[in-house]
Amino acid sequence: MRLLDVLRRLPQPVTATRLAAETEISLRQLYRDIATLRAGGALIDGAAGYGYTLTEDPALPPQSFSRLEIEALLLSVASLGDLGDENLAEAGRTALARIIGTLPDRQARQAMHATMHSWRPPAVRAAITIDLEILRQACWDEQSVRIAYRDRSGQRSEREIFPLGMSYSPRTLMLVAWCLLREAYRTFEVACIEELQRGDTSFRPRRAELLRRYIAVSKTD
């Protein structure tokens, strides 16, 4: 599956050396894996010294999208570089490569057409210094985090919060949370979080209720 994923993601044809490096296996093992995939039904063109091209992947069911839907997918994934962090952007690119790998040839060629790609100046955003994977995982696990936060006026505070979700925009990344210190909803600019640690308090299954209340309060403000 790792080899198939690399074949979907990288510009083709992909050399055996590059495939071996990406999957962290020897060239001999790579050739055996290519033979195994071919025996399993994967249509992989090419040979050692020329590079490999994944023509058909039996691991994924066939799909079909309109040209406008393909354009929407491409532009959405491209915008992740401005809205999110690099891990999120890379996940989007990987998912998109898998989707394109299931398209019929005509639609796959449309997805690679220059008119389907966007070019924009890089977004000007404040640098984020914390590990976003810890924060993202805490949101999924419904687990508290402890943060050290410095607001726009320079005031520093330390508190434990329930991270409810993140709001992405080209200019900043915001965290919606329930603050245990203030016992109230708070929004934090993620770039202003100086320290982040996993907490010991679970707020499962309160997350849905807390979000509903937050939305209701936001509508009345």
Side-chain angles (χ1 to χ4, degrees), residues 11-103:
Q12 300 183 17
V14 192
T15 65
T17 301
R18 178 73 183 278
L19 288 172
E22 290 284 338
T23 53
E24 299 179 341
I25 59 175
S26 66
L27 281 173
R28 179 175 295 182
Q29 180 63 49
L30 174 74
Y31 298 141
R32 286 198 293 263
D33 289 348
I34 291 288
T36 299
L37 289 173
R38 284 171 167 168
L43 297 184
I44 302 175
D45 293 334
Y50 296 96
Y52 295 95
T53 299
L54 180 63
T55 303
E56 184 176 331
D57 181 356
L60 297 174
Q63 301 188 74
S64 181
F65 295 95
S66 70
R67 189 172 60 211
L68 193 59
E69 288 171 336
I70 293 172
E71 186 171 357
L73 285 170
L74 288 166
L75 292 176
S76 296
V77 171
S79 68
L80 289 176
D82 292 335
L83 298 177
D85 59 294
E86 180 53 33
N87 287 340
L88 192 63
E90 179 60 27
R93 289 190 291 268
T94 300
L96 182 62
R98 289 175 178 168
I99 292 172
I100 292 175
T102 70
L103 297 176

Side-chain angles (χ1 to χ4, degrees), residues 170-219:
R171 291 188 176 275
T172 188
L173 175 60
M174 303 297 293
L175 172 67
V176 177
W178 175 261
C179 178
L180 298 180
L181 176 66
R182 304 298 183 190
E183 294 188 346
Y185 292 106
R186 291 290 186 269
T187 55
F188 300 96
E189 188 172 352
V190 176
C192 294
I193 299 177
E194 297 181 340
E195 298 176 19
L196 171 71
Q197 292 181 329
R198 290 271 297 202
D200 302 318
T201 308
S202 172
F203 57 98
R204 182 174 294 168
R206 294 181 57 198
R207 182 172 182 269
E209 174 201 352
L210 287 168
L211 278 173
R212 280 196 297 268
R213 285 169 50 197
Y214 174 78
I215 293 171
V217 169
S218 298
K219 287 181 178 180

Side-chain angles (χ1 to χ4, degrees), residues 137-144 163 201-207:
Q137 192 62 48
C139 290
W140 282 107
D141 294 343
E142 299 175 8
Q143 190 80 19
S144 69
T201 308
S202 172
F203 57 98
R204 182 174 294 168
R206 294 181 57 198
R207 182 172 182 269

Side-chain angles (χ1 to χ4, degrees), residues 124-143:
V124 179
R125 303 178 68 181
I128 295 173
T129 58
I130 62 168
D131 187 347
L132 277 178
E133 285 304 306
I134 295 176
L135 184 56
R136 191 176 287 120
Q137 192 62 48
C139 290
W140 282 107
D141 294 343
E142 299 175 8
Q143 190 80 19

